[in-house]
Amino acid sequence: MAITGCKIHPAIGVARVGDSPDGYFIGPERPGIPARPGDGLFKDAAGRIKRQAARFRIFGYDEHGEVVREIKADEAEISWTVHLANRKAAAERFRQRANEPKIRNELVPEQDRGGLVIDPGQLEIVAGRAADTDARPAAGFFTVAAEADPVAVTLGELRTDEDGRLLVLGGHGVSHSPGDTPLTHFADNNGWYDDTSDGPVRATVRLKGSKAALEADPSWVIVAPPDYAPSIGNVVTLLDVVEQAAADARGLAEIDEVYFDRDIQPLLNRVIANQWVHETVYRGHRRGDQDPEDATAVERGGDFSDQALLKQLADPDPKAEAIRKHVFRKIRPPQPVTDEQATASLMPPFSGDGGDRREGVPETWLSVTPRQYRRLMLWADGEFAPRAPASDAPSMSPDGRS
């Protein structure tokens, strides 16, 4: 089949900063399967954190929008362009409160606020012509005051692998205040910069034997902080956040189809996986708290990896409704929540957008998204099927391990 168009995948790639000067690894590329560095280590020999690279590929499509194949450097000239930037210091504050400035660094005059944006400009790298060592650095400047000297900040670099795929590496985990301004907030601090970033990813493809150049549908890269527990997923994933944002902005079809193995079990897996890094989750869902006949164990939460308990939770029969609804009642509804729901007795027991969790302060507690909550509600009511069609099944084992 003839290739008439192409797209960059993934649509959103996630890179992560690290303080290792040279060490890096490729980030996760399939749902439910964590990254595995070549040497099996996420740190270098000196104990410094390796950077996580986001890898992007180009796939060719035919005139009907069907995938033909991945396009690599051996059959095409591929020119990648990426525009990383860090606009934190010039952006709105993370939390909007009455009688407080809406923007960070509010005392910097409008004509000087461009210096708060670290913008290296658009970078280009041609796949198949640059060796992996020929990185394209993304270097910009930060200026907190007109009379201050600009501070050079490197947001990352571009590389290509042997097949012409793009590798985006972020910064080295640098955060600094040129004026030694004290930290006053977990997110909104004037006079500070760091080397996280994000921006668009584009590519121009010229297939061998073709005179026409194809502009690939673009993608986006996010350079985030390190993931200190790579195999433990978030209860609310980036996909959940993006789906909810799309529903709020553009409208999505109402959820009326729920499968336990696709929609519910992965969420429960992510809950219990956090027992290794969170004491509250450990107390409620540690291994061994699995006996559904033990009222004390069930009240604490239960071990969702236990096959006997899972069998009940995956059963849409009315006889299993009581235990499903018991679990559902433990889920914190989407924000805004009431003061009574701002407590560690509900899931997830993690801090939210308002900083460290505090009893009775709703904005400091994480809640599932409205669409996640809707799926859980249908599941609790028995309006679900145990297994999704094969094409929709999740790519992980029942206990959450790949």
Side-chain angles (χ1 to χ4, degrees):
M1 292 181 287
I3 292 176
T4 59
C6 51
K7 298 179 181 180
I8 301 172
H9 292 276
I12 300 176
V14 179
R16 295 184 181 276
V17 302
D19 59 347
S20 176
D22 302 310
Y24 72 89
F25 61 94
I26 307 298
E29 296 186 290
R30 293 180 60 190
I33 301 179
R36 292 185 175 89
D39 60 2
L41 301 175
F42 292 94
K43 295 182 179 180
D44 63 19
R48 295 165 299 196
I49 296 174
K50 296 177 183 178
R51 289 180 290 174
Q52 175 179 300
R55 179 158 62 181
F56 294 89
R57 308 164 187 252
I58 297 175
F59 285 84
Y61 289 73
D62 65 18
E63 60 181 344
H64 303 294
E66 299 294 327
V67 176
V68 177
R69 64 180 177 275
E70 182 182 357
I71 300 174
K72 301 179 181 179
D74 60 357
E75 67 165 315
E77 179 182 281
I78 304 171
S79 177
W80 295 94
T81 57
V82 181
H83 192 163
L84 295 176
N86 180 320
R87 299 177 175 84
K88 280 185 179 181
E92 292 186 355
R93 288 179 174 270
F94 191 75
R95 296 294 297 177
Q96 299 290 328
R97 299 182 183 277
N99 303 319
E100 286 187 349
K102 291 185 177 182
I103 57 175
R104 297 182 178 122
N105 295 291
E106 70 278 1
L107 297 181
V108 177
E110 184 64 32
Q111 65 270 19
D112 298 328
R113 293 188 66 80
L116 300 172
V117 178
I118 306 169
D119 188 352
Q122 183 169 282
L123 300 175
E124 180 179 1
I125 187 168
V126 177
R129 294 184 179 178
D132 187 49
T133 54
D134 295 335
R136 299 290 189 271
F141 295 91
F142 177 79
T143 309
V144 74
E147 65 275 9
D149 293 331
V151 178
V153 182
T154 299
L155 297 181
E157 61 197 58
L158 310 183
R159 300 172 182 259
T160 60
D161 69 11
E162 63 276 8
D163 290 315
R165 301 164 180 145
L166 173 69
L167 300 179
V168 180
L169 282 77
H172 290 283
V174 175
S175 59
H176 181 61
S177 169
D180 295 326
T181 306
L183 292 170
T184 60
H185 192 262
F186 79 97
D188 296 323
N189 293 287
N190 291 337
W192 282 79
Y193 71 85
D194 63 34
D195 58 1
T196 60
S197 61
D198 72 319
V201 177
R202 297 183 173 88
T204 301
V205 179
R206 191 183 301 275
L207 295 167
K208 289 182 178 179
S210 173
K211 296 181 180 180
L214 299 174
E215 295 296 328
D217 286 4
S219 182
W220 199 269
V221 63
I222 299 171
V223 181
D227 186 350
Y228 295 102
S231 296
I232 298 177
N234 295 316
V235 175
V236 181
T237 68
L238 178 59
L239 179 60
D240 293 321
V241 174
V242 170
E243 181 194 34
Q244 189 61 50
D248 294 342
R250 299 178 179 273
L252 294 177
E254 181 69 23
I255 295 171
D256 57 8
E257 187 176 70
V258 175
Y259 298 100
F260 180 78
D261 65 335
R262 186 192 70 183
D263 302 313
I264 306 301
Q265 186 178 355
L267 189 152
L268 299 179
N269 287 339
R270 297 195 298 272
V271 168
I272 62 169
N274 275 272
Q275 69 180 285
W276 304 111
V277 295
H278 200 283
E279 183 180 4
T280 302
V281 179
Y282 173 74
R283 290 200 305 266
H285 300 283
R286 61 184 180 268
R287 292 186 182 275
D289 283 356
Q290 75 276 7
D291 186 358
E293 303 301 325
D294 181 351
T296 304
V298 174
E299 180 61 30
R300 287 197 301 273
D303 176 8
F304 294 141
S305 68
D306 179 74
Q307 296 303 305
L309 180 56
L310 274 176
K311 185 176 181 179
Q312 289 195 56
L313 297 177
D315 188 353
D317 193 280
K319 66 186 179 186
E321 181 177 340
I323 193 165
R324 292 197 310 270
K325 291 203 169 183
H326 172 79
V327 174
F328 179 70
R329 285 193 296 269
K330 293 288 186 178
I331 304 295
R332 182 177 298 104
Q335 291 183 346
V337 298
T338 66
D339 293 352
E340 293 75 19
Q341 293 166 334
T343 171
S345 64
L346 296 180
M347 296 192 299
F350 309 133
S351 297
D353 290 344
D356 292 342
R357 59 182 191 165
R358 300 194 300 279
E359 292 282 333
V361 185
E363 64 266 26
T364 66
W365 293 85
L366 178 67
S367 61
V368 296
T369 69
R371 290 179 73 83
Q372 283 182 301
Y373 196 74
R374 169 68 176 170
R375 291 186 177 102
L376 287 162
M377 181 183 297
L378 291 173
W379 165 71
D381 289 340
E383 298 179 31
F384 72 100
R387 301 191 63 81
S391 60
D392 293 335
S395 58
M396 62 172 61
S397 63
D399 64 357
R401 293 191 293 266
S402 59

